[in-house]
Amino acid sequence: MNRIKETFQNKKDILNIYLTAGYPQLNDAVEIVQELAKQGVDMVEVGMPFSDPLADGPVIQKSSEIAIANGITVQQIFEQVQEIRKTVKDLPIFLMGYYNQLIQYGIADFLATAEKVGVDGLIIPDLPLATYQNEHKKLFEAHHIKMSFLITPQTNEQRISEIAQESSGFLYVVSSYAITGGKSSIEESQLAYFKKIEALQLDVPKLIGFGISDSETFNTACKYAEGAIIGSAFIKALTNEGDLKTKIDKFVQKIK
Amino acid sequence: MSYSVNNNGFYGDFGGAFIPEMLHHNVEELKNCYLDIIESDEFITEYKALLKDYVGRPTPLYFAKNLSKKYQSNIFLKREDLNHTGAHKVNNTVGQILLAKKMGKTRIIAETGAGQHGVATATVCALMNLPCIVYMGKIDIQRQAPNVARMKMLGAEVRPATSGSKTLKDATNEAIRDWIANPEDTYYLIGSVVGPHPYPDLVARFQSIISEEMKTQLQKQTGKNYPNKIIACVGGGSNAAGAFYHFLENEEVELIAVEADGKGVHSGQSAATTELGTSGIIHGSKTLMMQNSEGQITEPYSISAGLDYPGIGPLHAHLFKSGRGTFMGATDQEALDAAFELTQLEGIIPALESAHALAALNKLTLKKDECVVVNLSGRGDKDMETYMTHLSC
């Protein structure tokens, strides 16, 4: 079953929520994803906490630090996904992490385990396209693990089409010159960029991420892409007082 | 075997550019223009003029008579401590600031640990009238107050890195993030032979003035074309890269890199990357680095803030793995002892970093007719507080 393909075929205005595994508590990812699925979220991105996350902003980095202090490991994240899959069958699950984490785990082992526990795709911001193509693509395909690469306002058209072609999950459209959680509104220059990408009529679904934080920015992003990704704003919501379920429900209902 | 960087930015198995797409354009822009610019006659003329009149080069290759007598050999010191700002760091910042100007960049950012690179960057920014933002770990800001003051007096803005361990590696992360957020006008001036390609090559080329001068000075002073041994300390490895550069292909020259063992290699408080590290990716480069089995980068320790980095540049990882380089370590105590020894024998107070290189003299078997060059990368003014503490013990 290709959960990603089915989701993009059957749903519109896809809401992809990012969470940091191991945050706020070591095993919370299980309950968080189950609840997100119940609330009708279309896709999730489970962050694998890394000590030096170059592409992430302060909110996600802080959550990663706490998660690492909680003792989260890649192995535990796989176990948590396995647990999630007992009840959550159709929701596409991506893991987001850094290349060094895959290297240390062993890439072949990582992909085999990811497939086994029910991971659908990966987002590895610092894995260069050429390294993926030359060294890893075949193995990804053999394990049916999809890849999502990033493009930014500075990525030129030729490179966009190359990246889109290799993005077997979705194309991750970074909304601005910023790290995650950078801005809270969408500016004119960004709209022009979204329109440019839309006009390319790429043969791959697109999700807009970075700077998507509320229903307004989410709805704007959905005009130009199949959906959007919310990360830092959700992590911030989890940081508030209260029980997990209430915080999650409140957050998703405000967006959807 | 080749010890130069290849077209893909690799030294053997190490190097490359493992960066998020947000940095692709910036790094590509630099990669595509750096050689054309820095190899142009116009650039070389300007760079050499600044090194001579502003930095004070060439630095002497000083025959250390008393030290030689003690170790029964012929020991020369390459006096990088006599550079403007007190260390080799300025060789690189002068080069990169000229490059940034030629690229039309109008805002300079840098990372710093002990503050030496931050000071050297703030210095050339003052000279060139460019705004300068230096990222520095919050903990380092507290530890290195005099250098923070120097940077501020030079007009730089010092921004504390409050994430992670709040030290050099986090300052580097913050600088990279700033670059991501400001890709058009900003030049990231890296201080060591680390980071994504082309930085390790770029910084090594600017530091290579050290071995370029060493070669002619040695020839003039001794008639020899090359030394038998060159000793340099390695944190990220820029002064070592510069001291080794023109002798990399000459296997007659033993290249000795000295890492900081801290309180002992296995004490849990060490920065001995080749002893404790494994291959991985740090700050966009594949190299040897200190990490746990999960790939989380661990915090190193050394008495010397300049050697307190959890990785080494990819060139050095290649020198280590290929066996071309001899890697050894010196503990805090050994470095302190070496610093006091040099001070008493030669009247030169070395930086704590350079003292690690000097500590190797005691561990090597030196021959009477050998010619040994120690790269004295910096002076010890910044370390007086540590030395005073040691003196009163």
Side-chain angles (χ1 to χ4, degrees), chain A:
Chain A
M1 182 177 58
N2 188 335
R3 299 183 192 96
I4 300 171
K5 211 171 154 188
E6 284 186 11
T7 302
F8 281 113
Q9 268 170 7
N10 302 330
K11 294 183 175 180
K12 272 178 62 181
D13 297 350
I14 286 167
L15 173 60
N16 181 341
I17 296 265
Y18 169 95
L19 59 139
T20 303
Y23 179 84
Q25 302 295 325
L26 185 61
N27 296 310
D28 281 351
V30 177
E31 188 189 334
I32 294 172
V33 175
Q34 285 169 342
E35 192 56 31
L36 288 172
K38 255 187 234 163
Q39 288 295 319
V41 164
D42 307 298
M43 216 174 258
V44 292
E45 201 181 306
V46 179
M48 305 192 293
F50 182 53
S51 56
D52 296 72
L54 285 184
D56 289 305
V59 174
I60 291 179
Q61 177 162 19
K62 185 79 202 157
S63 70
S64 297
E65 278 170 26
I66 293 169
I68 293 168
N70 286 341
I72 192 77
T73 64
V74 173
Q75 191 55 44
Q76 283 170 338
I77 296 170
F78 282 137
E79 286 161 18
Q80 291 176 7
V81 173
Q82 197 163 29
E83 184 66 27
I84 291 165
R85 277 281 177 244
K86 286 181 183 164
T87 54
V88 179
K89 306 287 185 193
D90 300 331
L91 182 81
I93 299 177
F94 282 80
L95 293 184
M96 189 272 180
Y98 288 81
Y99 189 33
N100 195 45
Q101 296 174 289
L102 271 68
I103 294 174
Q104 303 314 322
Y105 193 93
I107 297 198
D109 284 350
F110 188 98
L111 294 173
T113 315
E115 182 186 23
K116 201 181 88 193
V117 301
V119 170
D120 300 287
L122 297 182
I123 302 161
I124 312 294
D126 62 340
L127 169 58
L129 188 69
T131 308
Y132 169 73
Q133 288 168 322
N134 299 334
E135 297 176 27
H136 306 312
K137 189 180 167 183
K138 279 195 183 130
L139 209 52
F140 272 69
E141 287 173 349
H143 289 292
H144 309 100
I145 299 294
K146 308 293 182 193
M147 253 316 257
S148 287
F149 285 100
L150 281 61
I151 60 166
T152 79
Q154 284 198 311
T155 313
N156 66 40
E157 271 185 38
Q158 194 202 328
R159 192 168 161 84
I160 290 175
S161 69
E162 231 182 292
I163 289 174
Q165 204 165 4
E166 295 297 355
S167 294
S168 45
F170 60 85
L171 184 65
Y172 197 131
V173 180
V174 175
S175 70
S176 65
Y177 302 154
I179 42 174
T180 60
K183 289 174 185 162
S184 57
S185 64
I186 292 177
E187 293 162 13
E188 278 302 316
S189 60
Q190 290 172 273
L191 290 182
Y193 162 62
F194 296 160
K195 281 178 194 160
K196 190 187 100 181
I197 303 300
E198 196 188 17
L200 292 176
Q201 300 199 312
L202 299 167
D203 201 18
V204 55
K206 305 174 293 295
L207 296 181
I208 295 175
F210 291 45
I212 311 300
S213 58
D214 52 20
S215 65
E216 195 191 331
T217 44
F218 177 71
N219 290 331
T220 308
C222 286
K223 283 186 203 154
Y224 304 96
E226 279 74 4
I229 304 164
I230 299 182
S232 297
F234 181 64
I235 299 296
K236 261 188 222 161
L238 291 182
T239 310
N240 298 337
E241 289 292 305
D243 70 297
L244 267 185
K245 186 179 176 306
T246 316
K247 285 188 282 193
I248 294 165
D249 295 358
K250 218 169 107 188
F251 186 84
V252 178
Q253 282 157 15
K254 266 205 282 189
I255 308 282
K256 271 254 168 181

Side-chain angles (χ1 to χ4, degrees), chain B residues 224-293:
Chain B
K224 290 184 180 168
N225 291 323
Y226 55 86
N228 300 89
K229 290 180 168 69
I230 302 172
I231 308 174
C233 64
V234 171
S238 69
N239 91 79
F244 297 165
Y245 197 87
H246 289 285
F247 300 102
L248 286 167
E249 313 288 337
N250 182 353
E251 309 246 351
E252 298 294 316
V253 184
E254 191 183 357
L255 307 175
I256 299 167
V258 187
E259 294 180 309
D261 281 350
K263 295 186 176 169
V265 175
H266 301 293
S267 65
Q269 288 183 290
S270 172
T273 305
T274 58
E275 284 274 351
L276 301 169
T278 48
S279 179
I281 289 165
I282 179 169
H283 298 136
S285 179
K286 187 170 188 184
T287 188
L288 293 172
M289 58 188 256
M290 290 165 61
Q291 57 183 331
N292 67 17
S293 59

